[in-house]
Amino acid sequence: MLWIKSLHIIFMVSWFAGIFYLPRIFVNLAMTENDGAFNQLNIMARKLYRFITPFMILTIVFGVWLTSYNWDYYKAAGWFHTKIALMLVLVVYHFICGHFQKQFAEGRCSKSHVFFRWFNEFPVVILIAIIILVVVKPF
């Protein structure tokens, strides 16, 4: 079980690293007026999105595997239900990032760098909430 927990944490940290960095690339894409820089940032965004998507999947797979060891406890734990809800919100956020990446690649993203600066903060809030839920188990 500790190997499964370790892999869950490793893939979660890797996913979050990418999900923190991708919107920062969007900030730069929204700001740049240089075609060469824009093209290079688009390549970086596409590669990063493709790179972190398996981490999202593996985080979920190992998380489900981990809960299977003590499902009776988890299905009754309110904090766990909240964690799962937040994780689902983060999955939606991940796919929204993919949507923005495609918009930038097609040259049709109209969001400003200010929007992406705020957008970038959202997964930080989710991470803080999930860690508090898992460690403190407030309810």
Side-chain angles (χ1 to χ4, degrees):
M1 183 168 107
L2 292 177
W3 280 103
I4 304 307
K5 185 183 282 188
S6 295
L7 289 169
H8 176 65
I9 293 168
I10 288 165
F11 290 122
M12 181 273 301
V13 169
S14 299
W15 180 30
F16 266 98
I19 217 75
F20 287 159
Y21 187 53
L22 186 57
R24 293 302 305 166
I25 295 174
F26 296 160
V27 168
N28 291 313
L29 278 164
M31 288 177 55
T32 190
E33 295 177 9
N34 178 307
D35 288 341
F38 187 83
N39 292 335
Q40 185 62 37
L41 289 166
N42 259 321
I43 291 168
M44 291 171 60
R46 185 186 78 245
K47 287 183 176 184
L48 180 59
Y49 184 75
R50 288 182 181 171
F51 184 72
I52 65 171
T53 298
F55 293 146
M56 174 190 68
I57 294 165
L58 290 167
T59 298
I60 294 166
V61 166
F62 285 106
V64 168
W65 191 349
L66 195 58
T67 60
S68 73
Y69 288 112
N70 196 1
W71 178 243
D72 288 334
Y73 166 72
Y74 289 114
K75 73 178 179 184
W79 68 266
F80 180 73
H81 293 265
T82 306
K83 176 195 173 193
I84 294 303
L86 290 172
M87 189 271 311
L88 291 172
V89 168
L90 190 65
V91 168
V92 170
Y93 179 89
H94 179 96
F95 288 115
I96 291 170
C97 284
H99 175 72
F100 284 134
Q101 185 273 314
K102 285 180 184 175
Q103 283 187 338
F104 275 117
E106 295 168 358
R108 57 181 184 83
C109 187
S110 60
K111 302 287 186 197
S112 72
H113 68 92
V114 175
F115 169 83
F116 286 112
R117 288 180 195 279
W118 285 103
F119 181 75
N120 187 52
E121 301 306 320
F122 185 73
V124 175
V125 174
I126 297 290
L127 178 64
I128 291 168
I130 288 175
I131 289 174
I132 290 170
L133 287 167
V134 171
V135 174
V136 177
K137 297 176 179 61
F139 48 89

